[in-house]
Structure formats: C-alpha cells, structure tokens
C-alpha cells in the first residue's frame, strides 16, 4: 500500500494498528457488500461469463466501482458526500445493467450505503485549517 | 470549509441527512425499477440465465414459421438448440418464468399477460430445448436444408430444416435458452419476482 499523503492529517489513511474509529464504516461496509453481491452473480459461474455478454461485464464494472467507492470512503472520509452520491448512482445503474441490481439486493444495499455515506459528517480538525 | 462553518465535533452520521438522502435514494430506486421493467425501451441484461426458462401459452398462431437444428455456442459449453423462427406470431395467455439461483436461494421471475389478451410478436426467434403442444402445420416442407430456408440466423448448411406457411400450436409449453423478437407486445402484462422455484405450469 502506498502512503503518499502527508503523515498527520485527518484524511490520511489510518496507519497500521490505528483503529478505523471515526470513519464511516457502516456506509463503507454496505457499499462493499453491494459490490460483492453484484459481482457474485456473474463470478459465481465463471464458465458462463463470456456467453452472457454485456450483462456480466457491466455487473463487474458496477461492482468494481462500488468497491472503489467504499475504499475511498474509508480513506478519505472528507469525500463522504461525493462517495455517497457515486454509490447511490452506481446502485441505481445496477438495476438495468447488472441483473436487476443483483435482484434488487445489491441495489438496495448500494442506495442505503450511499445515503449513509452522504450523511457522514467529517468536521475539520479543531482550529480549522492551518 | 475553513473554520467557523462547522462546529468542531466528532465525526459521525447526520441522521436527518441520512433520512433525507435515503428517502430520495429509495424513491429514485423505485422509479428506476419501474422504468426498467415497465418499458421495453431499456433492455435488462441478465448475466446469470445459464439455464433454460419456460414459456407457456394456450394458443400460438404463427405465419411463416421456420425450424432447424443449430448450436448456441457458449464459452465452454455449446448446447444444441432447435431454432424456431416465426415471422408473425400471436399468442394467448402467455406465461414466462425463469428460475435463477441467487445467493438468497432460488428466485422466480414471472411475466404473465392478462387473460384473454393476445400477445403479438414479429420476427420471433426462439432457441428451443424442448417444445410440447399440439402442432398443426400448413403448407409445410420438412427436411429442407437449413441454409436454404427463408429466414433464421445461424442456419448451417447441411442441417435439417423445415418451414411452414402457417404453424398453429395449442397448449404450448416451451423450454428455451433465449427468445428474441423485433417487436413483442404484451398487453396487460405483469412481471413479478418471487422467492422459490415457481415455473409456469
């Protein structure tokens, strides 16, 4: 893992050993679960992937997007609102593009996770910006 | 962002904002589902239909019907199919069901049309695994080379083929790999998804 940001900032990645307290964990977990569920449907039966054409591909792209959003959310909680909107949009897109949003399960997870992320408040550190 | 605007407090979830965003999201989700299922304009891709689905109808009245054997190729598997192509078909009491295994167990997606409402399809192409019913051919030619038939994709030279000016089937029951059509009008149709395996009888 590359840690290129300045060492001490509220948005820096949590160093090894530090807990993820103060990070939007539930939202990230919901978004990751949505991605996993969407990816499971085509990946659970890999032999049928190419046969099934655009459905599987778009499922995987949306699942990958959701996983990225959840990772960004954990490591850059200041971006929670953008992540929330992105997660929600991906969830909505999964309906026509990814097996009905993983039979609605992944879609609902993504929408709720996105809403949770959107609602995350990450105040500036005391004293404001230096 | 700088100072002042936010009170300095612990990071956390703003539940009022969550309620707002969640409501908006769920409404949008409902709208998306409705738009996706209600109109044929947005194709819904199913990647997992690695199994056949069932279509049943009370009657099928077809014009310019062609059947031949072919192979639907997948990546590893190639399954033999009987391709049935019908230029113009009218069906009554249509029911289509596909059972899919999901992480939450079997799920059945069913599409039904209203009783006594006919379904009309143009340039219908079905990849069949099995068809049951009472068939009536009119002006039929059987044993014709598939590549010389009037219509149909993937027709191979040397394969068995048959064509008929009219094809009527009563009590149709079809197990198919895929159905494609230029237009497929389902009046008064309902689409439902249910847990468990409930194929059309």
């Amino acid at each position: 893992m590359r840690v290129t940001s300045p060492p001490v900032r509220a948005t820096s990645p949590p160093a090894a050993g530090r807990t993820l307290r103060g990070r939007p964990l539930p939202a990230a977990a919901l978004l990751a679960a949505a991605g996993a569920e969407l990816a499971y449907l085509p990946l659970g039966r890999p032999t049928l992937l190419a046969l099934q054409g655009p459905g599987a591909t778009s499922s995987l792209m949306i699942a990958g997007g959701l996983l990225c959003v959840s990772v960004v959310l954990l490591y850059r909680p200041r971006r929670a609102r953008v992540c929330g909107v992105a997660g929600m949009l991906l969830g909505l897109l999964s309906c026509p593009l990814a097996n009905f949003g993983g039979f609605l399960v992944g879609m609902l997870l993504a929408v709720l996770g996105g809403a949770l992320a959107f609602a995350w408040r990450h105040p500036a550190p005391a004293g404001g910006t230096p | 962002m700088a100072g002042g605007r936010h009170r300095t407090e612990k990071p956390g979830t703003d539940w009022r904002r969550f309620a707002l965003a969640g409501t908006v999201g769920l409404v949008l989700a409902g709208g998306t589902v409705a738009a996706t299922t209600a109109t044929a304009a947005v194709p819904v891709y199913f990647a997992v239909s690695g199994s056949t689905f069932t279509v049943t109808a009370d009657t099928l009245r077809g014009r310019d019907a062609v059947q031949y054997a072919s192979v639907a190729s997948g990546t590893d598997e190639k399954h033999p199919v009987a391709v049935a192509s019908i230029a113009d078909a009218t069906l009554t009491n249509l029911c289509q069901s596909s059972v899919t295994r999901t992480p939450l167990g079997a799920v059945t997606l069913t599409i039904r049309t209203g009783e006594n409402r006919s379904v009309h399809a143009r340039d219908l192409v079905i990849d069949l695994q099995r068809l049951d019913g009472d068939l009536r051919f009119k002006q039929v030619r059987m044993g014709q080379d598939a590549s010389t038939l009037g219509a149909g994709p993937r027709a191979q030279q040397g394969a068995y083929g048959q064509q008929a000016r009219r094809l009527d089937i009563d009590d149709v029951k079809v197990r198919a790999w895929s159905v494609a059509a230029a237009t497929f009008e389902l009046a008064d149709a309902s689409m439902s998804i249910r847990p468990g395996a409930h194929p059309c009888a």
Side-chain angles (χ1 to χ4, degrees):
Chain A
M1 190 186 303
R2 290 175 304 127
V3 180
T4 52
S5 54
V8 188
R9 262 174 59 188
T11 52
S12 67
R18 283 240 306 272
T19 61
L20 285 168
R21 270 170 66 92
R23 310 265 170 178
L25 255 186
L30 278 177
L31 290 169
E37 202 264 349
L38 290 177
Y40 172 83
L41 291 175
L43 285 184
R45 302 154 119 189
T47 53
L48 295 163
L49 200 62
L51 167 68
Q52 302 304 339
T57 316
S58 55
S59 287
L60 292 181
M61 289 172 74
I62 286 178
L66 282 167
L67 290 176
C68 287
V69 166
S70 88
V71 169
V72 170
L73 188 59
L74 278 186
Y75 285 84
R76 296 282 184 271
R78 293 270 185 77
R79 303 260 177 265
R81 293 176 81 161
V82 179
C83 288
V85 171
M88 225 185 259
L89 283 179
L90 283 169
L92 295 178
L93 272 180
S94 76
C95 180
L97 292 179
N99 304 308
F100 255 120
F103 295 100
L104 303 184
V105 176
M107 183 191 188
L108 286 179
L109 287 175
V111 166
L112 289 180
L116 258 183
F118 185 78
W120 185 258
R121 210 170 26 191
H122 207 87
T129 45
Chain B
M1 283 291 185
R5 177 72 180 79
H6 292 287
R7 284 176 294 139
T8 50
E9 54 192 69
K10 284 190 164 182
T13 305
D14 185 336
W15 291 106
R16 263 181 49 207
R17 206 198 273 171
F18 170 67
L20 194 74
T23 312
V24 170
L26 288 179
V27 167
L28 285 176
T32 312
V33 172
T36 313
T37 55
T39 66
V42 185
V44 180
Y45 287 124
F46 276 88
V48 283
S49 69
S51 54
T52 56
F53 56 91
T54 307
V55 181
T56 62
D58 283 354
T59 59
L60 183 156
R61 301 277 173 270
R63 183 175 59 76
D64 289 335
V66 169
Q67 294 91 41
Y68 54 90
S70 181
V71 173
S73 48
T75 45
D76 296 341
E77 305 172 62
K78 287 176 185 266
H79 32 258
V81 294
V83 181
S85 161
I86 303 175
D88 197 289
T90 306
L91 301 98
T92 56
N93 208 0
L94 180 86
C95 172
Q96 183 196 323
S97 66
S98 55
V99 179
T100 310
R101 280 182 293 146
T102 73
L104 302 176
V107 169
T108 309
L109 179 76
T110 311
I111 301 172
R112 268 177 201 285
T113 56
E115 298 265 334
N116 308 318
R117 296 294 295 270
S118 63
V119 174
H120 190 236
R122 269 190 35 241
D123 292 335
L124 185 69
V125 179
I126 310 174
D127 281 359
L128 288 174
Q129 189 193 49
R130 184 191 172 95
L131 184 149
D132 297 296
D134 305 328
L135 286 84
R136 275 192 310 282
F137 293 100
K138 282 174 190 161
Q139 297 179 41
V140 65
R141 276 189 290 185
M142 292 182 172
Q144 189 174 348
D145 191 294
S147 62
T148 65
L149 294 172
R154 302 193 312 268
Q156 289 164 343
Q157 198 169 2
Y160 172 87
Q162 61 188 31
Q163 67 178 337
R165 181 62 62 194
R166 296 206 63 84
L167 170 62
D168 294 348
I169 315 178
D170 291 336
D171 291 330
V172 199
K173 182 171 183 186
V174 166
R175 291 225 302 205
W177 289 100
S178 74
V179 170
T183 61
F184 205 0
E185 297 163 20
L186 299 108
D188 200 13
S190 64
M191 182 171 190
S192 64
I193 189 152
R194 282 196 292 169
H198 309 280
C200 295

